[in-house]
Amino acid sequence: MPTGDAMGGGVGVGGARAGGASTGGAPLRPFTPQREQAAALSARTVGRDHLLRVLQAKVQSAATSAARPHVLLVGPPGVGKTHVVEVLLHRASADPSVRDRVLVVRAPHEGLGVTRYSDLLAEVQRTLDPGGSRGAGVPAPGEREARIRQLVGDRVVLLVIEHLDRVFDDLGTAGQRSLRAWVETTGQVMLLTTTPAVFPGIRERDQPWFGGLATFVLPGLSANEAQHLVANLAQSRGQRDLAGFVLSDSGRARIRALSELAGGSPRALVMLAEQGSSTALDELTPAVANVLEGLVPYHESLLWALSSNERRLVAALAAGTGSATVSELATSSELEQRTAASALGRMAAQHLVVSEKPDGGDRRTTYYRLRDPVLRQHVWYRTRGVDVVGLSAALLRAHQDPAVRQPLSEAAHQRLRAGDLDGALAAAAAGGGPDVPAARRAHEEADVILAAVSQVRRGRRLEMSRTSEPARRLVDCLLGAARGDATARAALIPEWRRLLEPAPTRGGA
Amino acid sequence: MYSRRVSNSSRHENVRPIEVNVGGIVAQEDLVGRDGEIDRLMSLAAPPAHGAMLLGDRRIGKTSLLRTLEQPLREAGHLVVRVSAETSSLDDFARALQAGLMVEPRLGSWGIHLEGEAAVRVGIAQISLRAKAQRGAGSREADLFATCARAARAQGPHHRVVFLLDEITVLATELAREAPGDARDFLRTLRRARQEFGEVVMFLAGSIGLHHALPDGTEVNDLVEMPIDVLDQPEAMRLAEGLILGSGLTVTEPRAVAAAMVAHTSGFPFYLHGTAQLLTERRGVVDPGAVAQEVRRALDLDLWNTQHYDSRLDDYYRGEAELVRDILDTIATAEKPVSADEVLQTSAVAVHAPTRTRLLTLLQRLERDHYLRRTAQSTAMANGFIGRIWRHVRRL
């Protein structure tokens, strides 16, 4: 057995623990998957098979040749980077040639205690030689490198560094160069790293690690993958009711809606399985509220770490139509344009916002949006409560489920007249009614509207050029209502009625 | 002649899978081509040569070449010390050098000569080994290169100690930033070792031209300049076909897809690996059109930071950056290599009114910065891919 955290050994370095695949009653850990049983993580993994095969081949080549194919996994918080790392280490350890040759060393999560290159070396040395002698004084980096070299021998260190962006920030250029020089000179180290987004330290050509890491972007899960994940989790945890519902047509539609709200975030889906029931999932709004409630501490700590100006901008981005220019955001957050631009630059560096150029048109304009769609939902949830979250959930529920959209007609009108907003939205989305052509038009319009709202949900800018005037007005009202605008909210029902009126009285498309 | 050539030749018939490895350390068996460069470097490790200065764009494959050179050098009986000098200070370099020394088993005895554990000390004017004596008090200090030369002599009359100092230009640039004379003095120290000890050979490499840190380069003018370029067509094809096999891509026609990969990257190994990785992330069957799409996407999204070819000019050329851009615009859009006089006559360049001598100086610097390539009396972009990058960045 190699020294240190040999693959599959999981020796006391904070890694996922080896063990059986059954989750049983063990708590799920959506924020710290490395604390779960590695086999259970592996068993419930969906949508990452190809990536894991590619990564396994890289670890294997490091174990069996002089190749050191360093890896960087990129994806927003909650997309499953740590999960992939843990499953990779678990699966790779099944290969004896890897198990006997590769020593896993993990830099502490959140970079605790690692702010200099010498800290990183100390961590490697501590892991490889936990009972090593503690001489007087702090060893110089050269001494540590020499000792590590002895400990490793002809094997390979797989150095896992999460939040590489922050660790590199702390190391500075000199520390990054030292790390590179050590890795290149000894040839004993392969890096397995993660970051929320590509950052200048690896993207820019004059940086020591430019082009030094093969980058793999982790997308959110597709609706099918999300359905399988929740079903797998429900089954492994004995939640038969939930598992059965998730696999039904309605369950699939609800998961699709939830997945869209959460940007395909596996973390949100794991929380759904942890807290959800088939009833809550069917209604969707309670399920979304449960997930958001569970994420409150995470989002709150994230928001409190921001400056007051940055928080104003988060609020403005959440309240707006998805993406906005610096000038628009400065106006809506009542900040000087220069202050807003500077804060947005910092937020982009922290991967809180994404800056984008429009696909067509004026490429000089830059739009900003919140990177994490769940953060947007959180802001709505905290500022407007379940009501607004329910609005978006109801829209998506209707959008994703043909069964809800099919026959509606009178029901929709009745609900609208009764002021039942959620019910009316769901019903109106389905169109239909005695006037078939009008119903078909309404149905088509509803599709456009729901697609538009879905765009907003994903933080995209609205494209409404093909939408009729009543539909555009309705979307404005929906967005206004979401922002808490009472006038817009009051106008919602009349606008829905207008949209459903026969064609001659409607505005041109 | 280096024996790897035999195995490479056999691969013409049977393409071997090569793992996609973007920017990591490449296994020796996965390094394609470069046999000519290795043969040339081997000859430069023998008297009367002192070594060479490897020049080439970042990610062209200099580090992989130096790493691969280790084996034939050792097989020839030489001692080898390979060090990444991508460091910010002499202390950091000393540490890297010490680690490099420890890898060469036949230099493991240098501690014994000094009767104790030794540490490397690097100063502007001297590189030494300092050891604390195991028996008795006090410590001793000896010149590192004298010690290494002695160790090489002990191996036999024709054996030499070869220092492979990668990214030496990063350290030189950092030293020059602190004090302009320090980089020069440090490189003179290395040169003195080469001249004083016939057993000491150095192969230096760096992507940043030394001309950015040193005014005239006399500190390295005893070394043969050796440009490292893109792979030639057959080698690039072999790499591309190997990558297709190694990445498990499903392709319409392997040779056509490989040819497209080579055509779109001009056989630049890093971008061949990069393109292969982008292709693995696609779903479905890959055809030559998909290669074109992925390379275009990489340029559009600046996945390879190719924008830097433009943005760094302000730092490199300062007040003349705009003139340099116009020169590059002219050459990148010309249908064939152009002469200096033709460049001088274009309206975009003429408006800056450079003298012919000044233009020639800039063209030479652009060659050293890996933008341009001179053929006889004409100049062209360094390769097709650099030309494409420039046209893309400048929207030409």
Side-chain angles (χ1 to χ4, degrees), chain A residues 28-335:
Chain A
L28 299 172
R29 299 193 183 278
F31 290 93
T32 52
Q34 66 272 28
R35 295 285 172 200
E36 288 194 51
Q37 302 283 350
L41 290 178
S42 180
R44 74 165 185 253
T45 300
V46 294
R48 309 293 190 211
D49 283 346
H50 175 69
L51 174 65
L52 281 163
R53 272 198 301 276
V54 170
L55 297 179
Q56 258 181 272
K58 290 189 182 299
V59 174
Q60 191 172 36
S61 79
T64 56
S65 76
R68 302 290 177 260
H70 311 302
V71 168
L72 176 66
L73 302 178
V74 181
V79 82
K81 301 182 293 294
T82 304
H83 181 110
V84 167
V85 166
E86 297 305 336
V87 173
L88 168 65
L89 298 181
H90 172 71
R91 292 187 185 177
S93 69
D95 179 343
S97 68
V98 172
R99 196 169 52 232
D100 297 342
R101 292 264 307 146
V102 176
L103 304 165
V104 178
V105 175
R106 299 162 202 263
H109 274 257
E110 286 85 40
L112 290 173
V114 177
T115 55
R116 298 169 303 181
Y117 171 60
S118 56
D119 297 332
L120 203 54
L121 291 176
E123 199 60 40
V124 175
Q125 189 181 347
R126 245 195 313 275
T127 306
L128 298 179
D129 188 18
S133 61
R134 301 278 180 269
V138 179
E143 291 174 49
R144 288 198 188 279
E145 288 176 354
R147 178 67 184 138
I148 290 167
R149 181 172 171 70
Q150 288 175 344
L151 291 167
V152 175
D154 63 352
R155 291 167 297 177
V156 182
V157 170
L158 182 59
L159 180 54
V160 182
I161 307 177
E162 299 237 42
H163 295 291
L164 187 71
D165 53 330
R166 293 184 190 176
V167 172
F168 268 19
D169 259 2
D170 286 339
L171 293 184
T173 305
Q176 292 168 39
R177 280 185 178 142
S178 293
L179 176 63
R180 179 107 204 186
W182 177 52
V183 167
E184 289 286 340
T185 300
T186 64
Q188 290 180 309
V189 184
M190 172 181 166
L191 298 187
L192 174 58
T193 64
T194 69
T195 178
V198 172
F199 57 98
I202 54 149
R203 188 184 55 223
E204 293 177 2
R205 197 166 277 260
D206 54 358
Q207 298 298 310
W209 282 90
F210 163 73
L213 299 139
T215 302
F216 297 86
V217 178
L218 270 69
L221 296 182
S222 69
N224 278 346
E225 291 162 351
Q227 185 188 18
H228 282 122
L229 173 60
V230 178
N232 287 351
L233 279 167
Q235 276 162 354
S236 68
R237 295 169 59 77
Q239 297 165 288
R240 289 182 190 169
D241 181 39
L242 179 60
F245 179 69
V246 167
L247 293 171
S248 70
D249 286 346
S250 294
R252 177 185 166 78
R254 302 297 178 274
I255 291 287
R256 184 182 287 275
L258 183 79
S259 185
E260 187 155 322
L261 277 171
S265 161
R267 175 178 290 162
L269 294 161
V270 169
M271 293 180 70
L272 172 77
E274 174 88 276
Q275 303 168 7
S277 66
S278 59
T279 311
L281 184 57
D282 190 21
E283 290 297 318
L284 200 57
T285 302
V288 173
N290 281 346
V291 169
L292 290 174
E293 186 62 35
L295 285 166
V296 163
Y298 166 75
H299 283 127
E300 280 200 337
S301 64
L302 187 146
L303 290 171
W304 278 119
L306 301 178
S307 71
S308 56
N309 286 346
E310 289 165 349
R311 285 201 300 274
R312 290 175 82 94
L313 287 164
V314 168
L317 282 161
T321 59
S323 52
T325 63
V326 173
S327 159
E328 289 165 350
L329 288 168
T331 304
S332 56
S333 58
E334 298 177 11
L335 293 172

Side-chain angles (χ1 to χ4, degrees), chain B residues 20-344:
Chain B
V20 178
N21 185 348
V22 187
I25 295 173
V26 176
Q28 190 190 334
E29 58 271 24
D30 282 350
L31 186 82
V32 172
R34 304 301 189 198
D35 290 340
E37 287 90 340
I38 289 175
D39 287 344
R40 175 95 174 108
L41 290 171
M42 287 299 289
S43 72
L44 291 171
H50 299 293
M53 180 81 202
L54 279 61
L55 305 169
D57 205 351
R58 189 146 200 205
R59 295 284 161 206
I60 196 78
K62 300 180 295 297
T63 300
S64 296
L65 180 56
L66 287 182
R67 194 177 287 279
T68 305
L69 189 60
E70 277 189 75
Q71 187 188 335
L73 284 170
R74 288 208 166 94
E75 285 170 0
H78 302 309
L79 300 136
V80 183
V81 180
R82 185 176 50 76
V83 182
S84 169
E86 185 155 10
T87 49
S88 299
S89 69
L90 290 177
D91 283 347
D92 291 346
F93 176 66
R95 203 171 60 236
L97 181 55
Q98 185 163 335
L101 286 161
M102 293 175 76
V103 176
E104 172 50 77
R106 288 165 297 176
L107 280 174
S109 63
W110 49 261
I112 295 168
H113 289 296
L114 295 165
E115 296 177 342
E117 285 188 13
V120 175
R121 287 211 318 184
V122 178
I124 295 295
Q126 193 191 13
I127 299 179
S128 61
L129 282 169
R130 188 184 178 83
K132 187 178 178 183
Q134 282 178 333
R135 289 183 296 277
S139 62
R140 293 184 54 200
E141 192 154 337
D143 184 89
L144 171 78
F145 296 111
T147 308
C148 289
R150 196 164 55 238
R153 274 197 300 277
Q155 301 294 316
H158 304 298
H159 294 169
R160 309 185 94 189
V161 55
V162 182
F163 287 86
L164 308 175
L165 302 180
D166 195 12
E167 292 297 357
I168 193 76
T169 51
V170 171
L171 177 60
T173 307
E174 285 299 313
L175 293 176
R177 202 190 307 272
E178 290 294 312
D182 283 2
R184 201 167 49 235
D185 291 344
F186 172 67
L187 289 167
R188 278 181 185 153
T189 301
L190 296 182
R191 180 186 169 123
R192 196 162 53 242
R194 295 192 294 272
Q195 291 176 333
E196 195 170 334
F197 304 105
E199 295 84 358
V200 173
V201 172
M202 291 182 193
F203 292 119
L204 310 183
S207 42
I208 307 169
L210 265 182
H211 56 284
H212 290 289
L214 303 171
D216 56 12
T218 53
E219 297 78 6
V220 291
N221 66 3
D222 62 322
L223 298 176
V224 173
E225 285 196 356
M226 188 160 154
I228 307 299
D229 209 340
V230 292
L231 297 176
D232 65 25
Q233 175 77 11
E235 289 170 342
M237 278 296 289
R238 199 159 66 238
L239 174 56
E241 289 183 277
L243 289 170
I244 289 170
L245 267 185
S247 58
L249 284 176
T250 307
V251 296
T252 50
E253 169 53 52
R255 279 197 71 79
V257 172
M261 289 170 69
V262 173
H264 284 285
T265 61
S266 296
F268 206 123
F270 174 73
Y271 297 113
L272 277 170
H273 279 270
T275 304
Q277 180 168 329
L278 292 174
L279 291 171
T280 61
E281 292 166 12
R282 286 174 70 99
R283 291 176 194 273
V285 178
V286 171
D287 60 12
V291 175
Q293 282 173 11
E294 289 303 324
V295 174
R296 189 181 310 124
R297 188 169 72 90
L299 294 177
D300 283 346
L301 299 177
D302 201 22
L303 297 182
W304 297 323
N305 195 221
T306 43
Q307 196 74 35
H308 188 72
Y309 280 99
D310 182 23
S311 59
R312 71 182 175 190
L313 292 178
D314 293 317
D315 187 34
Y316 279 16
Y317 293 87
R318 300 186 181 278
E320 291 180 305
E322 281 310 305
L323 166 59
V324 165
R325 288 190 175 93
D326 286 328
I327 293 170
L328 290 171
D329 286 354
T330 301
I331 297 171
T333 51
E335 289 179 2
K336 56 183 178 53
V338 291
S339 69
D341 290 320
E342 286 170 324
V343 174
L344 206 52

Side-chain angles (χ1 to χ4, degrees), chain B residues 368-382:
Chain B
R368 299 185 77 83
D369 286 332
H370 320 299
Y371 287 86
L372 299 180
R373 172 174 50 84
R374 180 180 171 180
T375 46
Q377 300 305 312
S378 299
T379 303
M381 297 303 284

